[in-house]
Protein backbone atom coordinates (compact mmCIF):
# COMPACT_ATOMS: atom_id res chain seq x y z
CA UNK A 1 0.00 0.00 0.00
CA UNK A 2 1.49 3.27 -1.05
CA UNK A 3 1.15 6.43 0.97
CA UNK A 4 1.85 10.04 0.11
CA UNK A 5 4.78 11.72 1.92
CA UNK A 6 3.93 15.40 2.41
CA UNK A 7 7.60 16.43 2.92
CA UNK A 8 9.13 15.00 -0.24
CA UNK A 9 6.04 14.70 -2.32
CA UNK A 10 6.77 11.06 -3.12
CA UNK A 11 4.63 8.01 -2.68
CA UNK A 12 6.05 5.49 -0.17
CA UNK A 13 5.36 1.77 -0.42
CA UNK A 14 5.04 0.83 3.26
CA UNK A 15 4.89 -2.90 2.51
CA UNK A 16 8.44 -2.70 1.09
CA UNK A 17 9.64 -0.85 4.22
CA UNK A 18 8.00 -3.49 6.41
CA UNK A 19 9.65 -6.26 4.38
CA UNK A 20 13.10 -4.63 4.78
CA UNK A 21 12.47 -4.25 8.52
CA UNK A 22 11.45 -7.90 8.78
CA UNK A 23 14.63 -8.98 6.99
CA UNK A 24 16.77 -6.87 9.33
CA UNK A 25 15.05 -8.32 12.39
CA UNK A 26 15.53 -11.85 11.03
CA UNK A 27 19.26 -11.18 10.58
CA UNK A 28 19.56 -9.81 14.12
CA UNK A 29 17.67 -12.81 15.50
CA UNK A 30 19.93 -15.19 13.54
CA UNK A 31 23.03 -13.47 14.91
CA UNK A 32 21.67 -13.63 18.46
CA UNK A 33 20.92 -17.34 18.07
CA UNK A 34 24.44 -17.98 16.75
CA UNK A 35 25.98 -16.12 19.67
CA UNK A 36 23.77 -18.03 22.11
CA UNK A 37 24.92 -21.34 20.65
CA UNK A 38 28.64 -20.54 20.41
CA UNK A 39 29.09 -18.37 23.53
CA UNK A 40 29.62 -21.32 25.91
CA UNK A 41 32.22 -22.77 23.55
CA UNK A 42 34.03 -19.43 23.33
CA UNK A 43 33.96 -19.12 27.11
CA UNK A 44 35.43 -22.61 27.54
CA UNK A 45 38.24 -21.70 25.12
CA UNK A 46 38.96 -18.49 27.04
CA UNK A 47 38.96 -20.37 30.35
CA UNK A 48 41.27 -23.08 28.98
CA UNK A 49 43.64 -20.48 27.59
CA UNK A 50 43.77 -18.53 30.83
CA UNK A 51 44.23 -21.61 33.03
CA UNK A 52 46.96 -23.02 30.81
CA UNK A 53 48.79 -19.69 30.70
CA UNK A 54 48.77 -19.50 34.49
CA UNK A 55 50.12 -23.05 34.84
CA UNK A 56 52.85 -22.40 32.26
CA UNK A 57 53.81 -19.20 34.03
CA UNK A 58 54.11 -21.03 37.35
CA UNK A 59 56.04 -23.83 35.62
CA UNK A 60 58.47 -21.29 34.24
CA UNK A 61 58.96 -19.79 37.70
CA UNK A 62 59.54 -23.28 39.16
CA UNK A 63 62.22 -24.12 36.59
CA UNK A 64 64.01 -20.82 37.17
CA UNK A 65 63.73 -21.32 40.94
CA UNK A 66 65.21 -24.80 40.60
CA UNK A 67 68.18 -23.40 38.67
CA UNK A 68 68.62 -20.76 41.35
CA UNK A 69 68.39 -23.41 44.08
CA UNK A 70 71.30 -25.33 42.58
CA UNK A 71 73.45 -22.20 42.78
CA UNK A 72 72.28 -21.20 46.27
CA UNK A 73 72.58 -24.70 47.73
CA UNK A 74 76.12 -25.05 46.35
CA UNK A 75 77.18 -22.12 48.59
CA UNK A 76 74.84 -22.90 51.48
CA UNK A 77 75.89 -23.30 55.05
CA UNK A 78 73.96 -24.62 58.02
CA UNK A 79 70.65 -22.74 58.46
CA UNK A 80 71.48 -20.38 55.62
CA UNK A 81 69.04 -17.43 55.21
CA UNK A 82 69.26 -17.49 51.40
CA UNK A 83 68.27 -21.16 51.37
CA UNK A 84 65.38 -20.45 53.72
CA UNK A 85 64.10 -17.63 51.51
CA UNK A 86 64.41 -19.77 48.39
CA UNK A 87 62.58 -22.65 50.04
CA UNK A 88 59.81 -20.32 51.22
CA UNK A 89 59.32 -19.15 47.64
CA UNK A 90 59.28 -22.78 46.50
CA UNK A 91 56.72 -23.69 49.14
CA UNK A 92 54.47 -20.82 48.14
CA UNK A 93 54.75 -21.68 44.44
CA UNK A 94 54.08 -25.34 45.24
CA UNK A 95 50.81 -24.45 46.99
CA UNK A 96 49.87 -22.18 44.09
CA UNK A 97 50.53 -24.89 41.50
CA UNK A 98 48.56 -27.37 43.58
CA UNK A 99 45.50 -25.13 43.32
CA UNK A 100 46.08 -24.27 39.66
CA UNK A 101 46.29 -27.93 38.63
CA UNK A 102 42.83 -28.66 40.05
CA UNK A 103 41.10 -26.77 37.25
CA UNK A 104 38.97 -28.80 34.88
CA UNK A 105 39.86 -26.58 31.91
CA UNK A 106 43.47 -27.78 31.71
CA UNK A 107 44.80 -30.01 28.98
CA UNK A 108 46.83 -33.11 29.75
CA UNK A 109 50.04 -31.45 28.62
CA UNK A 110 49.61 -28.54 30.99
CA UNK A 111 48.88 -30.93 33.86
CA UNK A 112 52.03 -32.94 33.11
CA UNK A 113 54.16 -29.78 32.94
CA UNK A 114 52.67 -28.45 36.18
CA UNK A 115 53.10 -31.78 37.98
CA UNK A 116 56.75 -31.93 36.97
CA UNK A 117 57.24 -28.40 38.23
CA UNK A 118 55.68 -29.42 41.55
CA UNK A 119 58.21 -32.26 41.79
CA UNK A 120 61.05 -29.78 41.29
CA UNK A 121 59.66 -27.56 44.03
CA UNK A 122 59.34 -30.53 46.40
CA UNK A 123 63.02 -31.29 45.82
CA UNK A 124 63.92 -27.69 46.71
CA UNK A 125 61.94 -27.95 49.94
CA UNK A 126 63.58 -31.28 50.76
CA UNK A 127 67.00 -29.70 50.12
CA UNK A 128 66.09 -26.96 52.57
CA UNK A 129 65.25 -29.63 55.14
CA UNK A 130 68.71 -31.12 54.65
CA UNK A 131 70.34 -27.74 55.26
CA UNK A 132 68.26 -27.10 58.38
CA UNK A 133 68.63 -30.59 59.85
CA UNK A 134 71.30 -31.57 62.32
CA UNK A 135 73.15 -29.37 64.75
CA UNK A 136 75.67 -27.59 62.56
CA UNK A 137 78.78 -28.62 60.73
CA UNK A 138 80.01 -28.50 57.21
CA UNK A 139 78.72 -29.97 53.99
CA UNK A 140 75.05 -29.14 54.30
CA UNK A 141 74.99 -27.45 50.90
CA UNK A 142 76.46 -30.58 49.39
CA UNK A 143 73.75 -32.67 51.03
CA UNK A 144 71.09 -30.36 49.61
CA UNK A 145 72.61 -30.61 46.14
CA UNK A 146 72.50 -34.39 46.40
CA UNK A 147 68.74 -34.05 46.88
CA UNK A 148 68.40 -31.90 43.76
CA UNK A 149 70.52 -33.96 41.37
CA UNK A 150 68.15 -36.96 41.06
CA UNK A 151 65.34 -34.67 39.84
CA UNK A 152 67.59 -32.65 37.51
CA UNK A 153 66.60 -34.74 34.43
CA UNK A 154 62.97 -33.78 35.06
CA UNK A 155 63.77 -30.18 34.13
CA UNK A 156 64.21 -30.99 30.44
CA UNK A 157 61.03 -33.08 30.38
CA UNK A 158 58.99 -30.33 32.05
CA UNK A 159 60.49 -27.66 29.82
CA UNK A 160 59.83 -29.70 26.67
CA UNK A 161 56.22 -30.38 27.67
CA UNK A 162 55.58 -26.71 28.46
CA UNK A 163 56.98 -25.68 25.07
CA UNK A 164 54.80 -28.26 23.31
CA UNK A 165 51.71 -26.99 25.11
CA UNK A 166 52.55 -23.41 24.12
CA UNK A 167 53.15 -24.43 20.49
CA UNK A 168 49.79 -26.21 20.44
CA UNK A 169 48.10 -23.06 21.76
CA UNK A 170 49.80 -20.96 19.08
CA UNK A 171 48.95 -23.44 16.32
CA UNK A 172 45.26 -23.53 17.22
CA UNK A 173 45.10 -19.79 17.93
CA UNK A 174 43.80 -19.98 21.48
CA UNK A 175 42.39 -16.69 22.83
CA UNK A 176 45.16 -14.15 23.48
CA UNK A 177 47.73 -16.63 22.15
CA UNK A 178 50.19 -13.93 21.10
CA UNK A 179 50.33 -12.44 24.57
CA UNK A 180 50.23 -15.69 26.53
CA UNK A 181 52.04 -18.36 24.53
CA UNK A 182 54.08 -16.95 21.65
CA UNK A 183 57.24 -16.21 23.66
CA UNK A 184 57.36 -19.69 25.20
CA UNK A 185 56.63 -21.37 21.86
CA UNK A 186 59.33 -19.40 20.03
CA UNK A 187 62.09 -18.88 22.59
CA UNK A 188 61.53 -21.58 25.20
CA UNK A 189 60.51 -21.47 28.82
CA UNK A 190 63.65 -19.78 30.12
CA UNK A 191 63.42 -16.76 27.81
Amino acid sequence: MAGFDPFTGLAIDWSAVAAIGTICLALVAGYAATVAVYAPRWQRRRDRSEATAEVLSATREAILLFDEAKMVFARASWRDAASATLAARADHLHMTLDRLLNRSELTDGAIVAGSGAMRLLEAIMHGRDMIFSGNGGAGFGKLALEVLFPVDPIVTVVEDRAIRVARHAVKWRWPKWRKRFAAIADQGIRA
Side-chain angles (χ1 to χ4, degrees):
M1 171 185 239
F4 182 72
D5 186 9
F7 298 114
T8 60
L10 299 173
I12 298 175
D13 187 9
W14 290 107
S15 62
V17 171
I20 291 173
T22 303
I23 290 171
C24 289
L25 287 175
L27 290 174
V28 168
Y31 177 76
T34 302
V35 168
V37 168
Y38 286 105
R41 182 182 302 171
W42 295 335
Q43 185 62 42
R44 281 192 307 271
R45 288 187 70 210
R46 283 191 298 270
D47 292 344
R48 181 181 59 215
S49 177
E50 180 182 345
T52 302
E54 289 173 354
V55 167
L56 291 184
S57 175
T59 300
R60 178 183 182 278
E61 288 181 42
I63 290 172
L64 295 176
L65 196 63
F66 186 78
D67 290 342
E68 185 180 346
K70 288 190 288 189
M71 292 186 293
V72 168
F73 287 172
R75 299 185 305 270
S77 60
W78 182 61
R79 296 194 179 196
D80 188 26
S83 301
T85 304
L86 187 76
R89 288 173 43 204
D91 188 35
H92 175 70
L93 191 56
H94 184 273
M95 288 189 300
T96 303
L97 261 171
D98 189 35
R99 287 193 179 258
L100 288 174
L101 290 176
N102 285 330
R103 293 182 173 181
S104 62
E105 299 91 11
L106 290 174
T107 61
D108 294 340
I111 292 171
V112 169
S115 298
M118 285 181 66
R119 180 66 187 104
L120 296 175
L121 296 169
E122 289 168 359
I124 293 171
M125 291 183 293
H126 188 65
R128 181 253 342 251
D129 294 341
M130 295 299 287
I131 290 173
F132 279 74
S133 66
N135 57 0
F140 285 95
K142 188 176 181 180
L143 289 174
L145 279 175
E146 289 176 4
V147 172
L148 295 183
F149 284 136
V151 295
D152 201 25
I154 296 174
V155 174
T156 56
V157 173
V158 171
E159 189 171 1
D160 180 55
R161 181 56 67 121
I163 291 170
R164 286 175 32 201
V165 168
R167 286 184 180 156
H168 177 79
V170 168
K171 178 182 176 184
W172 291 101
R173 306 276 196 249
W174 285 8
K176 298 184 182 178
W177 64 272
R178 281 192 181 103
K179 178 181 175 185
R180 293 177 175 163
F181 305 108
I184 294 173
D186 293 340
Q187 301 164 5
I189 198 101
R190 297 175 196 249

